[in-house]
Amino acid sequence: MTTILRHDPTGTWFLQGATSSYVLRVEPSGHLTHLHWGPRVEPGAIDWFTPTFDRAFCINEPGGRDSGFALDTLSREAPTGGNGDFRAPMLGVVNADGSHILDLRVVAQEIHAGKPRLDGLPATYVEREAEADTLVLTLADRSSGAEVVLHYTVFRDSDAIARSWRLTNRGSGSLRLTRALSASLDLPHCNWTLLQLSGAWARERQVVTHALVPGISSVESRRGTSSHQHNPFLALLAPGTTEEHGEVLAVNLVYSGNFLAQAEVDQYGHTRLQIGINPHEFTWELTPGATFQAPEAVLVRSGEGLGGMSRAYHRLYRSRLVRGPFRDAPRPVLINNWEATYFNFDTEKLLRLAAAGAEVGCDLFVLDDGWFGKREGDRSGLGDWTTVNLAKLPGGLQRLAEGVNALGLRFGLWFEPEMVSPDSDLYRAHPDWCLHVPGRPRSEGRSQLVLDLGRAEVRDHIWGMMTTILRSAPIGFVKWDMNRHLTEVWSRQLPPHRQGEAAHRFMLGVYDLLERMHREFPEVLVEGCSGGGGRFDAGMLHYHPYIWTSDNSDAIERLRIQHGTSMVYPLSSMDANVSAIPNHQVGRRTPLTTRATVASTGAFGYQLDLLALSADERAEMRQHSERWRSLRHLFHHGDLHRLADPMTNRWAAWMCVSPARDEALVTCVRMLTEANTARLPLRLRGLDPARTYRVQVETLREIPSGGGAAHHAPVHAVFTASGSALMGIGLRVDSPGDFIASTWHLTAV
Ligand code: GLA
């Protein structure tokens, strides 16, 4: 049965998700209206839904005969401006005659099985046509010849809908696009709490909520990347919505550059929800015949609170956004040398670290920044991917990689392909290859400039250097980094009136390089990174099965970062490493078990000098690696239930349940302890109430030692309980000290 149904007499389309419906109507005037996004309704007449009614001081259609029809009061899809809708438009243009009107009316309506690809952009996909249906609505502006083709893909058994559109200039004059949001829809009230994921470098994706007020509430990036500061995501929560209950409507953009996401409450108390490329400094020229493809937005509706929303995103993203041979493959345990050595390494030191990595159970050794060109620190060398630093690495990458392989580990390498250091051979040879405005100073960030990857010759050159390196040694992994934001966004290839295209062309260029990586090196696992989690978005997830979640590796800070990230992105996409104490970012000391437990909830690894640790600590690490290996299927394929919110509690707790509900892991981390308070009641979720589970408890107990450093003793216990008792009564967690992690491993008996 198709997921898209049409009720003919009224021209109404029902997009049917697993538990939700998204309902659109083509009005007799050809305007496209939005009728409903909420609980599932069965297709039929909803004639009582009049699109608009007579309101004072409104602009009516030309001729003015119907005073009840006003665009400003209409609940719209794909709204435009200039002729009566004074709210924020989804699309904006400047026509050849200088006017701004885009009067879009539906001229064709079709359903296609499956989902078409998006030209040059990352997107969700299907493997078989039967997995989804796509509604294709063609809208046209008769005067200018602008044609907009809207795509709505409904995934079977899911509450996710993918939206995008393509604009073609079918007129004879040129058309300038000035606003190209991917999705817009109007909701009938404003009684929502808005949830956004905001923060900073080393403090990414903190959950922030506030009530909507009249006017626009927005998050955006003007930095050229999706950014550490705000994520391209917004959710609207109905009153009383919690982790488990209540209605959530969410939008997430599959794009990694400048974005805008906003909720506008209009004069009547309606809400317009939008997401797309940031109109700030954006323009796109369309000569006759030219086409522009907007990025995809993924919309999720949940009737089961935030947890339901997250699980819908996770299921879709890990199976139909991430792609390639590593999509379903178990994540390797890695050791990365960055926090172990920074720039101070040589082959022998790295091999000793890799050997220690092998001892603690790693599968992969990643050589981070500093292996190439003149790169003794972060002030030089970027762009010189041709020369390996032979003073540090005699015998080159091959000797090192083979040495690492001989220890039983795969070898991985760091690149920052989008950048150039002014102090580099590449810059000296091609000073005009970076984004810059002729005659103006070039602003530096981390002593580096951004390459103009919108230009094919720049991309080809970078790619040529990378492929030579990738073929020079057995390299099975790449960490793809990006360590500054874009300034002086101006491209030599564009005439002055097209400079508004430079930032998006840069992004398309990055995607082109990532496509080449997938096509030519499918056996290489590519991790994303941007100063930690500065480009943790759905666009990047299409190319990177996982991303370095944050440069902040402190276990306690990571609780909030990973909690916020998990709102949209699956656990399997979050690279999380055990690092040293005192932690390099915040100076905190946490027990090894706690660091390992928090890192375990992502793609697990180590980033510390293993050689500085005792044999006992290394033996404990080996146990953590083995334990993670035995549980990683849960984090990769299981359902996440967040049990205690670290934004508002002194605890963080969550659990992952296998798809068959026969296994689960519950994790609880105490942040700061308190004297004599109630034990934390932890009601579990997602289990089979009718089954009995064997519960294996592991926690640490802090043993005070008379003024000296406390030490921690593990406590193990086993009991059995029914799923219904575990969910209805729950566990009771006490507080044995600061920063203590406990886990409960459940297996159905
Ligand atoms: C960024 C990354 C780090 C590390 C350094 C290397 O900050 O987030 O993990 O790779 O660059 O310079």
Side-chain angles (χ1 to χ4, degrees):
M1 228 226 343
T2 172
T3 56
I4 300 176
L5 299 160
R6 183 186 157 105
H7 184 68
D8 273 320
T10 52
T12 309
W13 290 99
F14 291 80
L15 279 48
Q16 301 295 69
T19 67
S20 56
S21 293
Y22 190 104
V23 185
L24 316 169
R25 186 156 68 197
V26 181
E27 301 298 336
S29 59
H31 289 104
L32 187 61
T33 51
H34 177 91
L35 302 192
H36 170 75
W37 186 26
R40 192 172 158 125
V41 294
E42 291 317 311
I46 41 178
D47 303 342
W48 70 89
F49 249 94
T50 41
T52 180
F53 65 97
D54 207 343
R55 296 214 191 239
F57 215 80
C58 277
I59 305 295
N60 307 122
E61 283 263 87
R65 277 178 299 276
D66 182 0
S67 62
F69 193 93
L71 293 180
D72 208 31
T73 66
L74 206 59
S75 174
R76 302 181 74 189
E77 288 271 329
T80 53
N83 58 352
D85 185 347
F86 297 99
R87 296 164 292 179
M90 177 171 111
L91 281 127
V93 294
V94 181
N95 296 304
D97 61 6
S99 66
H100 295 265
I101 299 162
L102 187 60
D103 185 4
L104 293 176
R105 311 286 177 112
V106 176
V107 293
Q109 313 177 42
E110 290 166 48
I111 305 178
H112 295 267
K115 179 177 193 292
R117 292 189 174 283
L118 264 66
D119 255 2
L121 283 165
T124 54
Y125 60 91
V126 292
E127 292 193 331
R128 288 169 299 111
E129 280 197 343
E131 292 176 9
D133 298 299
T134 301
L135 174 63
V136 181
L137 298 175
T138 305
L139 289 74
D141 175 78
R142 282 188 213 289
S143 305
S144 66
E147 178 195 87
V148 179
V149 182
L150 306 177
H151 284 89
Y152 296 83
T153 298
V154 185
F155 296 91
R156 200 166 299 282
D157 303 322
S158 164
D159 283 307
I161 295 174
R163 273 186 71 171
S164 66
W165 54 262
R166 215 173 50 231
L167 189 153
T168 303
N169 180 2
R170 301 223 181 273
S172 52
S174 70
L175 197 67
R176 171 184 283 207
L177 195 55
T178 54
R179 190 170 172 99
L181 301 186
S182 295
S184 176
L185 59 104
D186 291 340
L187 301 162
H189 65 82
C190 61
N191 205 2
W192 302 101
T193 294
L194 184 138
L195 184 148
Q196 64 192 56
L197 301 174
S198 299
W201 172 81
R203 193 166 36 78
E204 296 92 339
R205 292 172 297 285
Q206 310 283 299
V207 174
V208 177
T209 55
H210 59 91
L212 290 184
V213 291
I216 293 177
S217 305
S218 67
V219 290
E220 65 176 333
S221 167
R222 301 176 175 202
R223 296 166 179 271
T225 68
S226 51
S227 87
H228 305 85
Q229 287 73 13
H230 299 290
N231 201 256
F233 164 80
L234 276 186
L236 297 178
L237 282 54
T241 293
T242 63
E243 184 62 32
E244 268 178 286
H245 303 290
E247 179 155 47
V248 183
L249 304 178
V251 289
N252 181 219
L253 193 65
V254 187
Y255 186 62
S256 314
N258 291 336
F259 77 90
L260 173 68
Q262 67 181 38
E264 178 179 7
V265 175
D266 74 8
Q267 55 184 329
Y268 310 115
H270 307 141
T271 304
R272 175 166 285 180
L273 181 62
Q274 301 184 315
I275 196 163
I277 291 181
N278 198 332
H280 173 73
E281 293 179 358
F282 168 85
T283 60
W284 199 272
E285 293 293 318
L286 288 145
T287 50
T291 293
F292 177 84
Q293 172 67 59
E296 177 166 293
V298 176
L299 282 58
V300 163
R301 185 261 169 192
S302 159
E304 289 179 9
L306 288 168
M309 171 198 76
S310 300
R311 287 186 290 278
Y313 274 120
H314 294 178
R315 285 188 202 122
L316 179 67
Y317 284 1
R318 67 190 174 208
S319 65
R320 293 295 180 263
L321 175 65
V322 177
R323 64 184 181 155
F326 296 100
R327 182 187 72 190
D328 304 323
R331 305 288 182 249
V333 179
L334 67 78
I335 164 84
N336 176 306
N337 75 308
W338 180 242
E339 287 196 17
T341 67
Y342 296 103
F343 290 103
N344 180 18
F345 58 78
D346 58 31
T347 302
E348 294 318 313
K349 193 169 179 182
L350 295 175
L351 285 174
R352 280 200 302 278
L353 184 63
E359 187 192 328
V360 305
C362 294
D363 308 301
L364 168 71
F365 174 84
V366 182
L367 171 54
D368 212 281
D369 196 356
W371 57 266
F372 52 91
K374 191 183 134 208
R375 186 78 171 163
E376 301 304 334
D378 61 13
R379 302 187 67 88
S380 59
L382 291 173
D384 292 343
W385 308 108
T386 39
T387 46
V388 174
N389 186 328
L390 293 175
K392 288 185 190 175
L393 306 174
L397 289 176
Q398 189 166 9
R399 183 178 149 223
L400 175 63
E402 285 173 0
V404 168
N405 288 169
L407 294 163
L409 274 63
R410 280 159 72 103
F411 178 72
L413 197 60
W414 181 94
F415 283 94
E416 197 178 349
E418 299 156 62
M419 298 292 156
V420 62
S421 308
D423 183 4
S424 68
D425 293 341
L426 182 74
Y427 189 75
R428 281 182 281 273
H430 301 285
D432 68 327
W433 275 12
C434 63
L435 292 173
H436 70 284
V437 183
R440 289 185 185 270
R442 303 167 183 203
S443 309
E444 292 177 24
R446 211 191 189 205
S447 306
Q448 60 199 56
L449 297 165
V450 184
L451 288 168
D452 183 1
L453 291 180
R455 287 165 66 181
E457 74 271 30
V458 180
R459 290 201 298 280
D460 291 346
H461 188 85
I462 296 295
W463 184 240
M465 289 190 283
M466 286 183 76
T467 49
T468 307
I469 291 287
L470 290 171
R471 293 202 173 103
S472 71
I475 296 167
F477 177 100
V478 161
K479 178 175 171 185
W480 184 299
D481 209 342
M482 199 283 183
N483 280 319
R484 62 156 286 182
H485 292 140
L486 278 54
T487 56
E488 288 91 28
V489 184
W490 188 95
S491 174
R492 207 185 151 93
Q493 67 171 348
L494 298 169
H497 69 288
R498 298 189 70 152
Q499 288 300 330
E501 300 176 18
H504 183 54
R505 286 190 185 276
F506 168 83
M507 216 47 255
L508 294 176
V510 174
Y511 290 143
D512 174 53
L513 282 181
L514 288 164
E515 279 293 335
R516 296 187 202 193
M517 196 68 219
H518 264 263
R519 222 175 24 242
E520 293 180 40
F521 296 94
E523 73 290 354
V524 176
L525 172 55
V526 189
E527 174 183 31
C529 180
S530 176
R535 210 162 53 179
F536 204 122
D537 57 63
M540 282 296 149
L541 272 191
H542 190 56
Y543 307 98
H544 305 308
Y546 58 82
I547 297 174
W548 180 227
T549 314
S550 175
D551 272 345
N552 189 339
S553 61
D554 171 62
I556 301 305
E557 293 273 288
R558 270 294 181 109
L559 293 172
R560 288 182 172 165
I561 296 170
Q562 294 178 188
H563 171 83
T565 306
S566 80
M567 286 290 151
V568 189
Y569 308 105
L571 297 181
S572 55
S573 68
M574 296 184 215
D575 187 1
N577 294 176
V578 173
S579 62
I581 49 167
N583 174 267
H584 290 195
Q585 291 78 40
V586 298
R588 197 182 340 253
R589 291 174 180 275
T590 47
L592 177 54
T593 308
T594 302
R595 281 175 278 152
T597 304
V598 175
S600 282
T601 307
F604 180 76
Y606 297 94
Q607 196 170 150
L608 76 172
D609 185 3
L610 295 171
L611 300 161
L613 304 179
S614 68
D616 282 355
E617 284 171 308
R618 292 217 289 267
E620 187 186 331
M621 283 181 172
R622 184 170 188 92
Q623 286 175 15
H624 289 304
S625 306
E626 279 163 11
R627 182 169 156 79
W628 184 73
R629 224 176 246 115
S630 72
L631 292 170
R632 65 184 161 191
H633 57 280
L634 284 176
F635 308 122
H636 196 154
H637 306 288
D639 276 341
L640 172 71
H641 295 265
R642 289 175 293 254
L643 305 177
D645 177 353
M647 300 302 297
T648 50
N649 288 293
R650 291 181 177 210
W651 304 86
W654 61 93
M655 66 187 289
C656 289
V657 186
S658 68
R661 297 194 293 170
D662 56 355
E663 189 184 3
L665 189 83
V666 182
T667 305
C668 180
V669 182
R670 177 68 156 161
M671 293 191 276
L672 283 180
T673 194
E674 289 166 286
N676 224 4
T677 55
R679 296 194 300 162
L680 177 74
L682 212 57
R683 281 185 174 166
L684 306 191
R685 296 188 204 134
L687 301 173
D688 182 342
R691 289 176 100 161
T692 301
Y693 292 87
R694 177 176 183 272
V695 183
Q696 210 176 329
V697 191
E698 278 188 24
T699 190
L700 284 182
R701 191 160 296 277
E702 194 164 354
I703 314 283
S705 54
H711 80 274
H712 299 94
V715 178
H716 301 278
V718 177
F719 61 92
T720 56
S722 68
S724 61
L726 289 166
M727 293 193 290
I729 302 171
L731 307 168
R732 295 286 179 274
V733 189
D734 60 13
S735 50
D738 289 347
F739 318 139
I740 297 299
S742 310
T743 59
W744 295 258
H745 184 208
L746 279 59
T747 37
V749 291

